[in-house]
Amino acid sequence: MEIEKALIALSTECPDLGLKRADRHGMPEITVSLESFPQVMKTLRALGFDMLSDVVGIDRMPRPVRFDVIYLLMAMEDFSRLAVKVEVAQDREVPSVSGIWNSANWGEREVFDLLGIGFSGHPDLRRILMWENFEGHPLRKDFPLEGKDFDKPFDTETIKDYF
Amino acid sequence: MGLENQLVGDNVLVTSLNKLVNWGRSNSVWPCTFGLACCALEMIASTLADFDISRFGSEVFRPSPRQSDLIIIAGTLTKKMSVMVKRIYDQMADPKWVIAMGACASCGGVFKSYAVVQGADQIIPVDVYIPGCPPRPEAVLAGLMKIQEKIRTERLDQRRDFKPGMLEIPTGN
Ligand code: SF4
């Protein structure tokens, strides 16, 4: 599938996207607004992007709209790729796409765990890498690298997890 | 190996119980099949023919902690994993020994971070530390030999599971 054709089809399907385009190291990227995001993802799935290879979150701290969430899509038909980016303020949630691509389930959990971005409509939004009673979101830029109680002796009793 | 030669004929071999037990134990230190990160690869390499850990009687990597005498903490010990490592250690039967292999297991290594335990000795008692990132298999063998040395010089009353009165011979009447 040609990306150009897909994007034209996309803008006819969802006319008021506020679509921004960029080219990142040869990989096309579109930026969509949070409102049009679910519609865009549904349309892209229907257009043939049948694989979600990763979900990425970025903390752009001094920026007022603090986070970027990027979905990396691929069409298995001809291996064409597309990155879809949404910008998310700290108090907003991204509508989950785990109903469209199953792999979004764990990807979104990871972004939630490490950056604390909420995903509305996610079936099972729990931590995936850190343990259950971990406080904070370690990949946020205001998280201290050494974490809490670094200077104290470590005790395994403090770790509680979904065993 | 010498010992058999001494035993041909009507010879009698006299030794102390300590020495005999420790000799047997030190040459059959069975490690736990257990690795955490990159260091585990070097631990595996030390079992291959080039380095041949079986020269020291330790080639039998046991898949169950119940059957192993030695746990080699080979790799980065994360806080999330530490619970499991402690559980495996607790499940091992006495007497047991611990090697902290590599910079990570000894002190946290390059990972001065929220997720990594700054040294395995924070959760379990470590007998031998092997420096390196990763240590070469020779270093692993050297660490193992240190453990053997420790076992050979150990008296029964120095064992961790020793209780006073254990060595007294009961007097029958
Ligand atoms: S000490 Fe080095 S080689 Fe060993 S686990 Fe740590 S980073 Fe990996």
Side-chain angles (χ1 to χ4, degrees):
Chain A
M1 166 191 21
E2 289 193 11
I3 293 292
E4 287 311 321
K5 279 197 198 135
L7 291 185
I8 291 166
L10 184 68
S11 40
T12 42
E13 287 280 330
C14 342
D16 41 35
L17 271 182
L19 189 101
K20 270 188 279 173
R21 269 206 66 175
D23 206 59
R24 304 256 182 248
H25 309 290
M27 179 160 161
E29 177 192 275
I30 57 173
T31 308
V32 301
S33 65
L34 204 51
E35 288 69 35
S36 57
F37 174 72
Q39 180 63 34
V40 169
M41 291 312 249
K42 260 192 222 108
T43 314
L44 286 173
R45 175 71 187 81
L47 286 172
F49 285 99
D50 44 7
M51 177 171 155
L52 175 75
S53 46
D54 206 355
V55 184
V56 184
I58 304 176
D59 185 357
R60 306 239 180 234
M61 182 135 101
R63 200 177 73 178
V65 183
R66 183 167 172 182
F67 299 108
D68 279 347
V69 179
I70 300 166
Y71 289 77
L72 304 177
L73 302 180
M74 190 164 97
M76 294 300 283
E77 182 187 272
D78 59 352
F79 305 121
S80 53
R81 291 172 185 271
L82 177 69
V84 182
K85 181 163 106 181
V86 271
E87 295 177 357
V88 196
Q90 194 163 353
D91 52 347
R92 296 293 300 277
E93 294 198 332
V94 184
S96 170
V97 296
S98 48
I100 309 175
W101 294 274
N102 265 332
S103 63
N105 190 322
W106 282 17
E108 287 173 348
R109 270 178 74 182
E110 186 182 338
V111 173
F112 162 73
D113 185 359
L114 299 179
L115 284 162
I117 303 171
F119 289 88
S120 55
H122 191 288
D124 182 28
L125 198 60
R126 290 181 298 151
R127 288 185 180 277
I128 189 168
L129 295 173
M130 307 311 292
W131 50 98
E132 189 181 342
N133 61 348
F134 184 80
E135 281 169 33
H137 302 281
L139 288 196
R140 284 195 175 186
K141 293 223 171 124
D142 51 5
F143 186 91
L145 174 62
E146 292 165 4
K148 217 170 117 253
D149 293 338
F150 183 80
D151 48 348
K152 301 207 183 83
F154 172 71
D155 181 9
T156 47
E157 297 294 315
T158 56
I159 306 287
K160 188 171 164 286
D161 208 348
Y162 314 96
F163 291 131
Chain B
M1 282 280 298
L3 191 63
E4 307 92 287
N5 298 340
Q6 299 297 315
L7 288 177
V8 284
D10 300 331
N11 290 331
V12 178
L13 188 76
V14 181
T15 178
S16 71
L17 183 63
N18 254 343
K19 274 205 184 122
L20 187 69
V21 169
N22 289 346
W23 172 78
R25 238 186 221 161
S26 65
N27 287 306
S28 60
V29 184
W30 290 0
C32 208
T33 314
F34 174 75
L36 289 169
C38 8
C39 271
L41 279 275
E42 296 296 308
M43 180 183 74
I44 295 162
S46 66
T47 67
L48 303 180
D50 275 6
F51 302 103
D52 197 13
I53 203 171
S54 52
R55 286 178 292 159
F56 306 95
S58 296
E59 78 280 21
V60 203
F61 275 76
R62 294 278 92 182
S64 158
R66 306 273 185 212
Q67 301 168 348
S68 37
D69 310 303
L70 169 70
I71 180 168
I72 304 178
I73 314 286
T76 319
L77 180 61
T78 57
K79 288 186 178 168
K80 192 166 176 173
M81 195 63 189
S82 67
V83 184
M84 291 303 165
V85 174
K86 185 140 197 301
R87 188 183 293 177
I88 292 173
Y89 176 77
D90 289 343
Q91 284 177 349
M92 285 164 59
D94 264 322
K96 48 191 172 185
W97 291 274
V98 180
I99 291 182
M101 177 182 173
C104 287
S106 303
C107 65
V110 291
F111 304 106
K112 193 182 179 189
S113 92
Y114 58 90
V116 175
V117 181
Q118 303 297 304
D121 46 10
Q122 300 217 358
I123 60 165
I124 52 179
V126 175
D127 294 293
V128 170
Y129 299 84
I130 308 177
C133 180
R136 282 193 48 90
E138 291 94 324
V140 180
L141 297 181
L144 181 67
M145 284 159 76
K146 283 273 172 228
I147 291 272
Q148 290 186 323
E149 208 177 298
K150 185 168 178 176
I151 297 172
R152 282 194 200 116
T153 53
E154 195 179 56
R155 291 200 316 270
L156 285 180
D157 59 350
Q158 287 171 331
R159 285 170 48 175
R160 220 187 311 245
D161 54 348
F162 176 78
K163 290 183 193 72
M166 223 162 134
L167 291 180
E168 274 159 37
I169 298 163
T171 44
N173 28 359

